[in-house]
Amino acid sequence: MTMAHPQQHEDAVALSLRDLRAGYNGRTVLRGVDLDVPHGTFGAVVGPNGSGKSTLVKAALGLLAATRGSARFFGSPLARVRSRVAYVPQQDAVAEDFPITAVQVVEMGRYPHRGWFRRLTAGDDVAVAEAMEATGVQGLANTPLDELSGGQRQRVFLARALAQRADLLILDEPFTAVDARTEADLLSLLERLCATGVTVLAVHHDLRTVRDRFVYAVLLAGTVVAEGPVGDALSADNLERAYGIAPLAQPATTVEA
Ligand SMILES: Nc1ncnc2c1ncn2[C@@H]1O[C@H](COP(=O)(O)OP(=O)(O)OP(=O)(O)O)[C@@H](O)[C@H]1O
């Protein structure tokens, strides 16, 4: 029997996972995942390559069927609160030959509020324009997606999530294709969003950035090794348990996870 989600004030916990298990083709890659991501936190999911970070995100969002366990968002199944949860997929998951312009991608962020077949309102147009400005892609509005660089595309998908004005933003490796300056800009943007009460949960491989900039971390290695305030979750002991080495003690500035 799976553990029940504890009675929570619906806005205290943005994402709650209980005994989540998921995998591919009969192979389990994630098991026994219990997690409570506090609402309003700036959170990262870290762990070695293949530790199940993307799998966790996809299973939580129902993009991959969990083989056991459950996920709740703000105390409810995702279907009940879909407009409150935005997702920025890993860029290699985005079809490059999708015949669509940048602004059309960002407008998709409004569909959870409007439905697919309703015209966008003036309010939707404002949300789209603000999101494109915040991510610096307003000049690319009419450029086809397949003509954008990887970094530009990443900004456009972040703009789509911002346009949704969701309460929880889940991002899978949002900084992989962007340069250091853009990463710093986007991190600041996410921090500002967080300061307005939005929960951010980003899969991120750079442990130093996570330690320096994030507040909350989930450390994964096929299951949750640690979860909580960054300083506690990423303790030397926990990192050693997850990575088999003490990554932050290494001289390199980043550790691929
Ligand atoms: N579509 C898929 N089909 C089969 N196996 C998969 C699939 N996606 C991921 N896997 C496997 O599941 C395991 C976990 O993958 P996942 O992408 O969740 O790891 P990750 O922690 O996000 O890795 P990385 O840091 O390399 O992005 C890996 O062994 C991977 O090979």
Side-chain angles (χ1 to χ4, degrees):
M1 203 178 104
T2 59
M3 233 190 318
H5 293 258
Q7 249 349 21
Q8 293 155 346
H9 182 268
E10 67 152 14
D11 270 350
V13 177
L15 169 62
S16 160
L17 303 179
R18 286 292 171 271
D19 198 21
L20 197 75
R21 181 185 296 178
Y24 306 89
N25 313 319
R27 183 169 78 94
T28 296
V29 301
L30 260 188
R31 67 183 75 235
V33 173
D34 289 317
L35 207 60
D36 286 303
V37 180
H39 187 21
T41 201
F42 193 53
V45 179
V46 297
N49 286 132
S51 58
K53 302 181 293 295
S54 295
T55 303
L56 176 118
V57 164
K58 288 179 195 155
L61 290 165
L63 301 170
L64 171 70
T67 49
R68 183 186 170 112
S70 58
R72 284 181 175 263
F73 296 82
F74 305 106
S76 298
L78 181 61
R80 293 238 298 272
V81 289
R82 207 168 274 283
S83 66
R84 298 182 68 186
V85 181
Y87 170 53
V88 180
Q90 211 169 19
Q91 281 312 294
D92 60 14
V94 176
E96 293 193 13
D97 55 355
F98 206 40
I100 190 170
T101 63
V103 70
Q104 288 171 324
V105 172
V106 181
E107 285 171 356
M108 285 180 185
R110 301 306 300 164
Y111 295 164
H113 300 279
R114 286 293 148 253
W116 284 86
F117 302 110
R118 302 260 294 278
R119 287 179 66 85
L120 296 184
T121 64
D124 292 325
D125 290 340
V126 169
V128 167
E130 284 182 3
M132 294 189 81
E133 194 181 333
T135 50
V137 293
Q138 65 275 50
L140 301 172
N142 297 314
T143 308
L145 194 61
D146 62 1
E147 290 179 20
L148 298 178
S149 73
Q152 288 170 333
R153 236 183 346 253
Q154 220 144 3
R155 286 165 180 260
V156 166
F157 278 88
L158 180 57
R160 180 182 71 170
L162 296 189
Q164 189 178 328
R165 300 208 172 142
D167 296 317
L168 168 61
L169 229 64
I170 299 181
L171 310 101
D172 195 348
E173 292 284 6
F175 310 123
T176 42
V178 302
D179 56 42
R181 172 69 198 274
T182 304
E183 174 175 341
D185 288 350
L186 296 181
L187 263 174
S188 301
L189 171 66
L190 292 174
E191 279 168 348
R192 287 199 299 280
L193 262 183
C194 220
T196 68
V198 172
T199 308
V200 171
L201 188 66
V203 173
H204 195 34
H205 67 271
D206 182 348
L207 285 171
R208 277 180 203 279
T209 305
V210 172
R211 191 181 58 178
D212 293 346
R213 304 289 290 267
F214 285 71
V215 172
Y216 164 92
V218 180
L219 179 57
L220 272 190
T223 190
V224 177
V225 173
E227 165 200 23
V230 161
D232 300 337
L234 303 188
S235 70
D237 279 356
N238 288 338
L239 289 174
E240 203 164 336
R241 280 166 60 208
Y243 289 85
I245 51 165
L248 289 178
Q250 303 294 306
T253 52
T254 62
V255 173
E256 295 297 319

